[in-house]
Amino acid sequence: MDIPKQVALAIADALLAGECSHIALMKNMSWVLGKKWPWIPSLCPKIYLHAGPHFYHYSRHEIAAIILDDHGYYDAWRGKDKPQIKQYCLLPAIAPEKPAWLQALALPEFNNSADLARHLNLTVNELAWFADQWRQDAQAAPQLRHYHYRWLEKATGGWRLLEIPKSRLRNIQRKILQRILNQVPPHAAAQAFQQGRSSISHAAQHTGKLVVVRLDLKDFFTSIPGSRLHALFAKLGYPEKVAGTLARLCSNRTPTVIAKEKTRYLAPLSSAHLLRSPHLPQGAPTSPALANLCAYRLDMRLQALADSMQASYSRYADDLTFSGDEQFDQSLRRVIPQVAAIVLEEGFVLNYKKTRIMRASTRQQVTGIVVNRHCNIKRADYDTLKAILTNCLRSNPASQNREGHANFRAHLAGKLAYMRMINPARTAKLQALFEQIKWPDSAVMI
């Protein structure tokens, strides 16, 4: 046990529960330790100057870090008479005044875990269980785990792990999504997982540009650690323990046996290591919204970078896209290094293998949509669907269901609906073919 840290945390609890002034800080610190140590008068101004008017926005760990960094406090542990906790402060930390933007969100308030449990229709013990309070889920037997796991092979190679919460945890996460996360707007550049935004709105921002640059974030969901979720909920005004519980409800640690099935433990940033650490699970209902919110500062900085070059920027999940004309083209040499630096500083990593620079003389494609002049369907996709519909019209539709879709008619109708959103005029010809097809009584064809 790190005793100096435990003492510093006890001091921090007392400081955050009292008045923020030199005299009050010294009084509360001396109260915890049972006497006024010689280093206290010099440490208190240091804390006051460091935190300033934002003192109550600091967590107990941040205040403890300032204490641990003090030379006087450090030297005190080298002598025979070491600091000891004489009294614990059980009062809650003084809640800071909420900024105007946070008040406008009107989020539900929870002063402690009991309030959160009541809001989620759980007992305190149930809340601790679903929040995996003691982080046992990664070692638990399958029937005691909170998630189901399924590996999916990526079209571009490699594997993606779906972490699907079991029904009760999924219902809890949906409540968090509906009552908290959906009330917090992401950055305007975020086009995925938002009502009224889509891959089409993402692509539409980059039509008719001289050059389009597309970059990809590696392991987007799993690279968001549980600590970042904790910080996000704390930023939304929740007390530290409540923020920690909310973060644990929305994060997961993949069992080692699952994490190593398709990945190899190579380095700290390897996929297996990310999965085994608390992370944002791909498959939980809260994860898309949390991913957008955790990437808010990334979007803000990349938008500022794009604005400085008179370029457009948008993000669709892990797909970063920049586009522009002459000035952007002239700045192209420094775009990717600058983006990579910002991405790294914000806790993400670029997948350089997927970086694409597309000029107007070549096909410019964003999220599978051609954007050279306007949003358009890829010729290969159009021709393939046209051939399938034509063959369905000429022969038995079941003969074209080569991938074994349970409802082939609905599958084709979905493809047409998507293409219609991209280019209605061009899709009209395919729609006419679809309507001429004589489907059997049952739409199910295997």
Side-chain angles (χ1 to χ4, degrees):
M1 180 181 292
D2 189 345
I3 297 177
K5 183 176 180 180
Q6 296 302 318
V7 173
L9 286 170
I11 295 172
D13 288 336
L15 299 185
L16 290 170
E19 182 185 343
C20 179
S21 66
H22 290 175
I23 296 175
L25 292 176
M26 285 192 291
K27 180 181 177 181
N28 291 332
M29 197 176 293
S30 302
W31 179 82
V32 171
L33 301 176
K35 68 176 183 179
K36 185 177 179 181
W37 286 73
W39 43 267
I40 288 179
S42 61
L43 174 57
C44 290
K46 181 179 177 181
I47 295 173
Y48 184 83
L49 290 173
H50 193 286
H54 306 292
F55 178 75
Y56 295 113
H57 289 275
Y58 277 59
S59 70
R60 62 195 295 261
H61 288 280
E62 290 171 325
I63 296 296
I66 300 173
I67 297 171
L68 290 167
D69 193 50
D70 182 70
H71 292 295
Y73 182 79
Y74 175 80
D75 291 339
W77 290 94
R78 302 174 67 181
K80 292 183 179 180
D81 187 17
K82 296 178 174 58
Q84 294 181 353
I85 302 172
K86 298 298 184 180
Q87 300 177 89
Y88 282 97
C89 178
L90 301 180
L91 296 174
I94 295 175
E97 183 179 354
K98 292 183 179 180
W101 66 267
L102 187 54
Q103 293 180 26
L105 295 178
L107 300 176
E109 296 187 6
F110 313 119
N111 295 320
N112 49 51
S113 296
D115 290 346
L116 177 60
R118 281 192 294 271
H119 189 80
L120 297 174
N121 297 323
L122 300 170
T123 66
V124 174
N125 287 338
E126 286 176 328
L127 180 65
W129 166 251
F130 285 111
D132 198 12
Q133 189 78 38
W134 300 279
R135 285 294 174 198
Q136 296 298 313
D137 188 53
Q139 290 80 33
Q143 62 270 27
L144 297 178
R145 295 173 186 162
H146 295 316
Y147 287 81
H148 297 292
Y149 300 95
R150 185 189 307 161
W151 285 100
L152 298 178
E153 190 170 3
K154 298 179 183 179
T156 55
W159 296 86
R160 175 184 291 110
L161 179 63
L162 283 186
E163 301 172 87
I164 306 164
K166 295 180 180 178
S167 58
R168 288 199 67 188
L169 178 59
R170 185 165 61 249
N171 290 334
I172 292 169
Q173 291 175 342
R174 282 174 178 161
K175 290 178 182 178
I176 295 172
L177 174 66
Q178 294 164 3
R179 300 174 187 180
I180 299 177
L181 301 178
N182 281 349
Q183 314 308 316
V184 186
H187 193 276
Q191 297 297 311
F193 320 126
Q194 285 293 302
Q195 189 173 6
R197 304 180 193 178
S198 65
S199 59
I200 299 172
S201 65
H202 171 61
Q205 299 186 40
H206 307 285
T207 56
K209 299 296 178 67
L210 180 64
V211 60
V212 176
V213 177
R214 196 176 74 234
L215 307 103
D216 184 82
L217 298 176
K218 184 180 180 182
D219 298 324
F220 180 50
F221 282 92
T222 53
S223 62
I224 298 175
S227 58
R228 193 161 188 167
L229 303 183
H230 188 159
L232 172 64
F233 283 114
K235 185 71 174 178
L236 295 178
Y238 292 109
E240 183 179 0
K241 290 184 178 179
V242 174
T245 301
L246 285 167
R248 286 191 294 273
L249 286 170
C250 299
S251 61
N252 183 40
R253 284 198 312 166
T254 309
T256 303
V257 65
I258 302 293
K260 286 191 172 183
E261 281 183 2
K262 302 294 182 182
T263 59
R264 288 183 295 174
Y265 192 84
L266 298 175
L269 287 178
S270 68
S271 297
H273 178 80
L274 293 174
L275 290 171
R276 292 172 60 185
S277 304
H279 63 275
L280 196 61
Q282 188 169 0
T286 47
S287 292
L290 283 169
N292 272 343
L293 295 177
C294 287
Y296 190 97
R297 207 170 84 148
L298 171 70
D299 290 332
M300 185 173 63
R301 294 183 66 185
L302 293 181
Q303 183 66 67
L305 176 64
D307 291 343
S308 70
M309 297 179 287
Q310 294 186 4
S312 299
Y313 162 72
S314 64
R315 178 179 59 82
Y316 189 82
D318 56 359
D319 190 353
L320 313 177
T321 306
F322 295 82
S323 64
D325 295 316
E326 286 78 8
Q327 184 172 341
F328 179 62
D329 191 24
Q330 293 171 5
S331 308
L332 201 55
R333 181 177 295 179
R334 59 185 175 89
V335 169
I336 295 177
Q338 286 181 312
V339 171
I342 292 173
V343 165
L344 195 61
E345 289 171 1
E346 294 302 321
F348 299 98
V349 178
L350 283 182
N351 185 352
Y352 290 98
K353 293 180 181 179
K354 293 187 177 181
T355 299
R356 298 289 183 271
I357 299 175
M358 300 165 285
R359 300 187 180 278
S361 57
T362 63
R363 185 174 70 183
Q364 297 171 323
Q365 187 174 312
V366 176
T367 55
I369 300 171
V370 179
V371 296
N372 287 69
R373 295 182 181 178
H374 52 79
C375 287
N376 208 348
I377 308 160
K378 287 192 294 184
R379 177 178 290 276
D381 292 346
Y382 182 89
D383 291 344
T384 299
L385 184 56
K386 182 180 178 181
I388 291 173
L389 293 173
T390 301
N391 290 335
C392 285
L393 187 59
R394 291 175 178 174
S395 60
N396 184 1
S399 65
Q400 300 303 306
N401 188 13
R402 296 183 177 89
E403 296 178 0
H405 295 285
N407 192 327
F408 190 44
R409 181 176 184 176
H411 169 71
L412 295 179
K415 281 184 168 291
L416 285 169
Y418 177 69
M419 288 185 173
R420 194 181 304 114
M421 289 191 294
I422 300 173
N423 191 329
R426 196 176 181 196
T427 309
K429 299 177 182 178
L430 300 182
Q431 184 68 37
L433 287 174
F434 178 79
E435 292 173 356
Q436 295 176 48
I437 298 172
K438 294 182 179 180
W439 298 96
D441 294 338
S442 173
V444 178
M445 291 176 292
I446 299 177

